[in-house]
Amino acid sequence: THGAGFSVLKATTNGVDSASRYEIHGQSNYALSARSYVYGNLRYEDDEFSPFAYQALAGAGWGYKVIDRESTK
């Protein structure tokens, strides 16, 4: 499965910008078996009011569904 999204935050108070931020992110999952999977994700964030120029993250991992019953879905 694949997923992606974005968010934007803009705010102005009395004609002065008080917030300006945007973020984009995505994730892909790949099933290895009925209970085991691997995933990878990316995220980029730019906030004009943050002390950082931007933030970028990348991640990957392996997951296992320990409890996989109808009552827990």
Side-chain angles (χ1 to χ4, degrees):
T1 60
H2 308 287
F6 68 93
S7 63
V8 176
L9 171 64
K10 287 284 209 182
T12 304
T13 304
N14 297 328
V16 178
D17 287 344
S18 57
S20 180
R21 169 185 166 167
Y22 71 90
E23 172 191 339
I24 186 165
H25 59 272
Q27 179 166 325
S28 289
N29 303 324
Y30 181 77
L32 300 172
S33 69
R35 296 184 116 180
S36 181
Y37 60 94
V38 293
Y39 65 90
N41 55 36
L42 298 170
R43 179 174 162 235
Y44 177 84
E45 178 183 310
D46 190 351
D47 186 341
E48 290 184 23
F49 292 87
S50 169
F52 304 104
Y54 65 90
Q55 292 185 43
L57 303 162
W62 170 78
Y64 185 80
K65 298 175 187 176
V66 176
I67 300 173
D68 191 20
R69 299 181 192 149
E70 282 300 316
S71 62
T72 60
K73 292 182 181 180

